[in-house]
């Protein structure tokens, strides 16, 4: 017997999260539980505000399209297109990877064809916008990560970067403008940032491949894309224009689809940053299955939450460690699932 349950949990943030797209104090994500063959596994679907999706759409997508055949397959990737939304596919394929890892007592990286003992890079920690620069500097010091990703697209971007560099000369700094700069502003910022030892700039503008190529020609700082790359066609269109691409499980459809996208990106000569939405340790544990394949990691979401509903990811000097085989839900998660309607797949 296969039983599935899906429900929604609110994930409150430690601090209000300000980016160029807007602000939020919490996120509500959908969680999936699959029980089969005496094992139970979980998946997470991030509800991203600018995707325009609500929890009921994702829950319905999962319940309508999951079948017993899909739960027992060794290749979840072949069933990903059945889902309407990539985040639904992400929850499904993450849970299936965990289920198979538990059933076969094998490392999830091995099941994906990734190096089991591969070196994992340190993650950056995201610093949302705040006009309180003392608070910003204290947050960086308290987190103790070797790299930060500073949200940009605000009038005082340059002043905040310069302040961080003065206080933390060895810190690796990544800039994420979330398409918040104009082309003129991006050119000004790149020229001003060149002497500050910036590791990369993410999504400087909402631009065409030719516009991004122009910025890349002006910049010794690598430019990487996130929002601009939604499909393989986008990937091919922008490959010549930038240095790298951001891969997220929620956007690509889960760990199996992310692995394929990483390989496609590398074949096109692009470096990969593995990142996440605002998600729990469950989603980040699934992402870590493909982490050894990636140049940069930005898997800090659990550190942004004031409540993490799963066994927390461990960060040692910024290096994340977790396993889908051992992660456990909190009481709040278990109670949430018990209060939802189950679907039995005969």
């Amino acid at each position: 017997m296969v039983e599935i349950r899906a429900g929604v949990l609110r994930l409150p943030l430690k601090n209000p999260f300000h980016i160029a797209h807007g602000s939020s104090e919490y996120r509500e994500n959908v969680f999936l539980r699959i029980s089969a063959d005496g094992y139970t596994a979980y998946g997470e679907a991030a509800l991203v505000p600018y995707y325009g999706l609500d929890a009921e759409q994702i829950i319905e997508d999962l319940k309508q399209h999951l079948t017993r055949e899909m739960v027992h397959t060794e290749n979840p990737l072949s069933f990903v297109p059945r889902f309407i939304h990539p985040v639904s596919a992400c929850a499904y394929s993450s849970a299936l990877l965990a289920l198979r890892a538990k059933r076969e007592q094998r490392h999830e990286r091995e099941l994906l064809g990734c190096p089991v003992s591969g070196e994992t890079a340190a993650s950056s920690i995201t610093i949302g916008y705040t006009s309180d620069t003392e608070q910003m500097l204290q947050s960086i010091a308290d987190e103790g990560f070797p790299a930060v990703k500073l949200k940009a697209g605000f009038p005082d971007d340059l002043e905040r970067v310069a302040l961080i560099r003065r206080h933390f000369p060895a810190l690796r700094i990544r800039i994420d403008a979330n398409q918040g700069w104009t082309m003129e502003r991006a050119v000004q910022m790149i020229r001003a940032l060149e002497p500050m030892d910036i590791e990369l700039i993410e999504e400087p503008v909402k631009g065409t491949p030719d516009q991004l190529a122009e910025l890349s020609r002006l910049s010794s700082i690598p430019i990487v894309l996130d929002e601009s790359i939604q499909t393989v066609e986008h990937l091919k269109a922008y490959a010549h224009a930038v240095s790298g691409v951001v891969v997220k499980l929620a956007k690509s459809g889960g760990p199996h689809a992310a692995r394929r996208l990483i390989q496609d990106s590398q074949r096109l000569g692009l470096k990969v940053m593995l990142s996440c939405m605002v998600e729990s340790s469950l989603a980040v544990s699934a992402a870590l299955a493909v982490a050894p394949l990636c140049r940069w990691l930005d898997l800090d979401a659990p550190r942004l939450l004031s409540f993490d509903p799963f066994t927390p990811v461990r960060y040692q000097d910024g290096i994340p460690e977790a396993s889908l085989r051992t992660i456990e839900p909190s009481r709040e998660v278990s109670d949430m699932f018990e209060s939802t309607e189950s679907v039995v797949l005969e």
Side-chain angles (χ1 to χ4, degrees):
M1 184 184 75
V2 174
E3 182 192 64
I4 65 169
R5 291 178 185 258
V8 61
L9 273 180
R10 177 172 289 196
L11 305 180
L13 298 167
K14 288 180 184 175
N15 300 296
F17 198 58
H18 303 293
I19 65 174
H21 288 310
S23 302
S24 59
E25 296 182 353
Y26 65 89
R27 291 290 172 82
E28 287 186 329
N29 289 355
V30 171
F31 292 87
L32 171 69
R33 187 176 80 181
I34 299 179
S35 301
D37 305 324
Y39 297 95
T40 299
Y42 305 88
E44 182 172 355
L47 290 176
V48 186
Y50 52 84
Y51 278 14
L53 297 175
D54 61 37
E56 288 306 314
Q57 289 174 288
I58 303 306
I59 292 171
E60 193 64 22
D61 195 12
L62 288 165
K63 289 186 174 181
Q64 288 293 322
H65 295 102
L66 262 169
T67 68
R68 183 180 178 85
E69 176 191 16
M70 292 165 67
V71 172
H72 288 285
T73 183
E74 292 190 0
N75 181 23
L77 189 58
S78 62
F79 293 103
V80 163
R82 290 194 182 186
F83 293 100
I84 299 171
H85 309 293
V87 293
S88 308
C90 177
Y92 155 70
S93 59
S94 297
L96 261 288
L97 179 63
L99 198 64
R100 188 179 171 201
K102 290 179 177 182
R103 194 161 41 206
E104 300 181 17
Q105 288 299 296
R106 295 166 66 190
H107 199 291
E108 51 264 32
R109 289 181 178 176
E110 180 187 357
L111 296 175
L112 288 172
C114 297
V116 173
S117 58
E119 198 170 304
T120 301
S123 172
S124 54
I125 185 77
T126 301
I127 305 297
Y129 177 77
T130 175
S131 59
D132 186 342
T133 54
E134 289 300 318
Q135 180 189 28
M136 175 187 72
L137 295 174
Q138 190 61 52
S139 294
I140 294 171
D142 290 345
E143 291 291 351
F145 276 51
V148 298
K149 186 168 82 167
L150 185 69
K151 290 295 185 179
F154 303 93
D156 60 347
D157 287 343
L158 191 58
E159 291 81 359
R160 288 182 297 123
V161 177
L163 185 63
I164 292 170
R165 178 51 73 218
R166 285 199 301 273
H167 280 78
F168 302 98
L171 188 69
R172 303 199 325 262
I173 301 175
R174 304 168 184 174
I175 308 295
D176 183 7
N178 289 115
Q179 300 182 343
W181 294 337
T182 63
M183 278 293 291
E184 181 181 6
R185 175 69 168 161
V187 171
Q188 293 171 347
M189 287 297 298
I190 286 170
R191 287 172 176 163
L193 291 169
E194 290 273 347
M196 295 190 192
D197 190 24
I198 303 302
E199 189 171 26
L200 59 84
I201 299 173
E202 183 181 335
E203 284 288 342
V205 300
K206 184 176 183 179
T208 65
D210 287 345
Q211 288 173 317
L212 269 299
E214 179 184 346
L215 290 181
S216 291
R217 283 193 294 270
L218 294 172
S219 178
S220 64
I221 305 169
I223 293 176
V224 303
L225 296 182
D226 179 9
E227 291 98 324
S228 297
I229 309 295
Q230 300 293 331
T231 66
V232 174
E233 287 70 31
H234 293 156
L235 182 67
K236 292 175 180 176
Y238 283 93
H240 74 285
V242 294
S243 298
V245 61
V246 177
V247 171
K248 296 177 178 176
L249 268 62
K251 186 171 67 172
S252 58
H256 303 80
R259 180 184 181 276
R260 184 171 64 180
L261 184 59
I262 290 166
Q263 292 175 324
D264 288 343
S265 301
Q266 292 169 338
R267 278 193 287 268
L268 290 167
L270 295 168
K271 298 181 178 69
V272 175
M273 179 159 74
L274 183 64
S275 189
C276 55
M277 303 296 188
V278 178
E279 295 165 306
S280 76
S281 285
L282 173 61
V284 169
S285 297
L288 284 171
V290 295
L293 304 178
C294 302
R295 170 67 177 80
W296 303 291
L297 295 188
D298 178 41
L299 298 176
D300 62 336
R303 294 294 285 262
L304 307 179
L305 303 176
S306 62
F307 165 62
D308 188 344
F310 282 84
T311 309
V313 172
R314 300 175 301 280
Y315 293 88
Q316 181 65 41
D317 298 323
I319 300 174
E321 297 179 12
S323 170
L324 284 174
R325 289 164 298 155
T326 58
I327 195 167
E328 293 292 339
S330 65
R331 186 187 65 191
E332 288 86 349
V333 174
S334 298
D335 290 346
M336 179 273 291
F337 280 124
E338 292 310 313
S339 69
T340 62
E341 181 183 359
S342 68
V343 176
V344 178
L345 306 175
E346 298 294 346

